[in-house]
Amino acid sequence: MITTIKEKENEKETILEPICYSNVNMFWGGIIAEVLARLGVQYIVISPGSRSGPLAVGCANNKKLKAIPILDERSAGFFGLGLAKQTHRPVALICSSGTAAANFYPAIIEARMSKVPLIVLTADRPGELRECHSGQTIDQIKLFGDYPAFYKELTLPEANIELFYYLRQTIAYAFERAMYPQGGPVHLNVPFRDPLAPVRDEHFLNWIKNFDANSFFDLEAKSYRGETLYSKPDADGLKIYKQLKNTKKGLIIVGTIQVEKTEEFVRQLVELSNELGWPVLAEGLSPVRNYESQFSNLITRYDVILRNNDIAQILKPEQVIQIGNLPTSKVLRAWLKANKPKTWVFENSSDNNDPLHGNTTFVRMHPMSLMRQYKESKSSHSNEEYSNLWKQVERQADGIISEYMSTCDAMFEGKAAWLLSKCLPKGTNVFAATSMPVRDVEYFWQRNNLELQMYFNRGANGIDGLVSTALGIAHCNKPSVLLIGDLSLLHDTNGLLIKKYFQGSLTIILINNNGGRLFEFLPIAQFRDIFEEFFATPQDMNFKKLAHCYGLEYYQTKTWEDFRELIKILPERGIRVIELITDSHFDVAFRKNLFKLTSESMKIE
Ligand SMILES: Cc1ncc(C[n+]2csc(CCOP(=O)(O)OP(=O)(O)O)c2C)c(N)n1
């Protein structure tokens, strides 16, 4: 039983209640938890360990925080990442010392690269127990290199009011750095001497008696979202605006992007494209394709369109506005690289997201800030002709792909993405895993008005932690769907251990082609003697048994009718696996043929 001042003195409930006063370490952990809660942190993911005891007790004991225990720190990190993606607020992670901390690394990298706020608290031994084989001690100083936006090793807890102020301020600053100027991970290394459990220290209890918690914790629960440093156009704004308006061939490319306020984002994008008259090329991993009726010039089939060299020549743009990271399509990237249009990357962070090293200018603001300011300026050119050409080939490509998909009875992997975009319930969260699933979403996701919310880990493109991230997105949220390959699922089966605490509904659509079949499309696929064993790496797993082992619902679908039935209504709770067993030889051939025939049949009239 945790001793609190309330229990000790039998006072009525006060702010002191959630904080354990038994000893200075517990109090230290309690301050950290209370400050995080006051600043707006909702979730804390706690992995087990002794050294992290004061942090775990402090957070688990705080009623304002939702603490979730997860055994494997790698899964815990990604689950926290998913929660932070879902809530757009920092999520805290707690672990013990040693390799426990190192297991957070992949999630920290992804958080940094996809700008997701995480507050990582790793417990550590004090200085005198380091470098002397004291057990479960590694060098945790700057363990995650330059990935965290802010790193600090905290001082050891001491019964000293000035140190409590220092602690409060450091936590508040770490929270701010996890949000500003852009989302990302921060790392606090937190050393403790014994005791690590809430054992009573009468001396401390006596000393802390007069501590005024009400004034100490009187922090404002600030929202740090809003106008940023970059959000106002400066004197060059008009110059940029005029250049944008005076083109006959302008294109907006919306790549992989997750936004907090989807509807507002879509509305502003529609306004931008109407103002300029430029077509909008939208990745499947942007929200845009799921709001199609709002756009008059939406282009989704750019990958296959640009496979036709003649059409690709005609459609060369003069100027491009890039929003978000570039789409995955290699064809689109190669076309941009070859043609080097003047590119305006509207990016509300300090990131360099120009992997093509093109003719690029970064504009650190939202494009609509610019548009609104200068809207009155007249344009001397119209983009209409160019826009109409795009729309013409889009109609053709979309018609052919739809025809292929609707008549295909075979288990072609791309059809799963296509059907999801047509049949899922409105507003479903969709997480597309790395490898072929993200590509299938880009190639085949059908324009719709289902307001589906797209999620992905495209910061570092790892196949690790994808199950955990999707579970974090689905936790206490609307029913969600994960589209994933067999290797990626196997890579993170530990993520399924969260089942006991998971609240919500996740449907895992497993495309089982027995191995990493993305590699079938790379030059290495021609070297068959080495390919299967060291690249495709088939695991021959029985997923039905695996699902049962974790207590998950399991279905295998052999027809698209069954698949449709299973996805059109999603369960309110639980984790279920829908397995589609596919044949990669058929799949590769079908896909190549589809792209070839579609791109060859298009023409501009
Ligand atoms: C952590 C990590 N290890 C290795 C890779 C390299 N990799 C990229 S795709 C892939 C295969 C994924 O296979 P699967 O999930 O079955 O999807 P498929 O390609 O069959 O669609 C691998 C190993 C990676 N991206 N991340």
Side-chain angles (χ1 to χ4, degrees), residues 536-579:
T537 56
Q539 304 293 312
D540 305 311
M541 177 58 64
N542 181 328
F543 283 97
K544 184 176 182 180
K545 285 190 181 158
L546 183 117
H548 288 161
C549 173
Y550 285 93
L552 313 182
E553 259 183 79
Y554 169 88
Y555 304 86
Q556 191 199 323
T557 51
K558 293 196 172 134
T559 68
W560 292 116
E561 285 70 41
D562 286 353
F563 183 70
R564 245 180 223 273
E565 285 306 307
L566 283 166
I567 57 166
K568 70 180 193 205
I569 299 171
L570 300 174
E572 278 303 305
R573 60 183 63 83
I575 306 173
R576 60 174 186 158
V577 176
I578 301 176
E579 182 178 17

Side-chain angles (χ1 to χ4, degrees), residues 74 106 413 433-440 460-466 484-491 510-520 535-537:
R74 192 171 69 172
E413 294 176 9
T434 307
S435 207
M436 287 314 285
V438 288
R439 288 172 174 80
D440 281 345
N461 300 349
I463 61 161
D464 43 354
L466 299 174
I484 191 167
D486 51 297
L487 293 194
S488 304
L489 175 57
L490 291 172
H491 210 288
L510 164 64
I511 307 287
N512 183 4
N513 49 26
N514 202 18
R517 299 300 164 185
L518 168 77
F519 302 130
E520 297 281 359
F535 291 86
T537 56

